[in-house]
Amino acid sequence: EVQLVESGGGLVQPGRSLRLSCVASGFTFDDFAMHWVRQAPGKGLEWVSGISWNNDGIGYAESVRGRFTISRDNAKNALYLQMDSLRADDTALYYCAKEGQWMVSLDHWGQGTLVTVSS
Amino acid sequence: IQLTQSPSSLSASVGDRVTITCRASQGIGSVLAWYQQKPGKPPKILIYDASKLESGVPSRFSGSGSGTDFTLTISSLQPEDFATYYCQKFNSFPLTFGGGTKVEIK
């Protein structure tokens, strides 16, 4: 069974940093691209960032480019999101998601970790 | 490329046929996915590659379209289908989502 478990969320002041982690199990982690998707309270889904299985393909939403950095450690089955210069509008539930085998969907999602940016 | 979903919400009864539209601002081929999200839960994949049904998803769900215009159809709405539905493009980064369509009970 595929499991994705996010951690690292919390309350942080504007301008500070936070690092999210996602530990994967139940599949061959280094065979698949991985993504971060967020959802602000009461709002829709926003794709944040994605990384290919071998790190040669990385993308970011315009809203986070230059502030967030995605990375992965295939030896640890782990995905990360380093979030710097956080702003109030980064407040959201952050989901880790696995890309499907045909690379045209996100077929498994974690339960999310909540990031609140406030002074 | 922007994805515009319509309607943003709708009210329907059990047994109704429901159609949700997702329009891309530029052509994206067929690399579009549809998700269902219920309150307090992560999204669940329904359709990938515009028309392919994810394993385990009931056959009352179907997807169609290519280029800029896509539809998600629920042939006979069931009580468990009341949720919010999102489309997402997969042709290139950024993998934008549509704004969502909330399906409510009439």
Side-chain angles (χ1 to χ4, degrees):
Chain A
E1 178 193 4
V2 172
Q3 287 198 330
L4 300 169
V5 180
E6 304 94 337
S7 61
L11 175 63
V12 61
Q13 293 179 328
R16 304 298 290 266
S17 299
L18 209 57
R19 187 195 197 208
L20 305 185
S21 300
C22 170
V23 175
S25 61
F27 65 101
T28 304
F29 183 71
D30 54 11
D31 276 352
F32 295 93
M34 298 293 295
H35 299 262
W36 290 99
V37 176
R38 69 184 181 183
Q39 188 166 36
K43 303 296 185 182
L45 301 172
E46 180 185 16
W47 178 83
V48 174
S49 182
I51 184 169
S52 63
W53 66 274
N54 62 354
N55 297 299
D56 71 351
I58 290 177
Y60 297 96
E62 189 61 39
S63 59
V64 307
R65 189 173 293 124
R67 300 187 299 120
F68 289 12
T69 303
I70 192 171
S71 62
R72 64 190 293 162
D73 185 337
N74 288 342
K76 295 182 178 180
N77 285 1
L79 175 73
Y80 305 103
L81 186 67
Q82 177 66 40
M83 305 187 295
D84 299 324
S85 303
L86 282 162
R87 311 185 305 218
D89 61 0
D90 294 317
T91 294
L93 185 64
Y94 284 73
Y95 292 105
C96 164
K98 169 188 169 290
E99 192 166 295
Q101 63 172 326
W102 307 117
M103 300 181 287
V104 290
S105 68
L106 302 178
D107 65 355
H108 289 87
W109 298 64
Q111 293 298 310
T113 186
L114 182 62
V115 173
T116 303
V117 184
S118 174
S119 54
Chain B
I1 298 176
Q2 308 301 317
L3 295 182
T4 303
Q5 281 185 239
S6 59
S8 56
S9 65
L10 64 90
S11 295
S13 301
V14 172
D16 285 353
R17 181 181 183 88
V18 169
T19 298
I20 298 168
T21 296
C22 178
R23 175 162 290 174
S25 58
Q26 297 177 38
I28 59 170
S30 65
V31 286
L32 187 100
W34 288 96
Y35 303 88
Q36 176 194 68
Q37 187 180 32
K38 296 181 179 179
K41 298 293 187 181
K44 172 189 171 185
I45 180 68
L46 299 175
I47 302 285
Y48 64 95
D49 214 21
S51 62
K52 296 180 173 62
L53 193 68
E54 179 74 9
S55 176
V57 174
S59 59
R60 63 181 179 272
F61 291 94
S62 64
S64 65
S66 67
T68 58
D69 294 310
F70 302 87
T71 59
L72 173 70
T73 299
I74 309 172
S75 61
S76 178
L77 199 65
Q78 297 302 299
E80 60 268 31
D81 300 337
F82 292 95
T84 301
Y85 294 83
Y86 296 92
C87 57
Q88 183 191 24
K89 72 173 190 73
F90 256 85
N91 62 317
S92 62
F93 290 143
L95 306 186
T96 313
F97 285 93
T101 296
K102 186 173 184 178
V103 177
E104 299 176 301
I105 301 172
K106 181 182 282 184

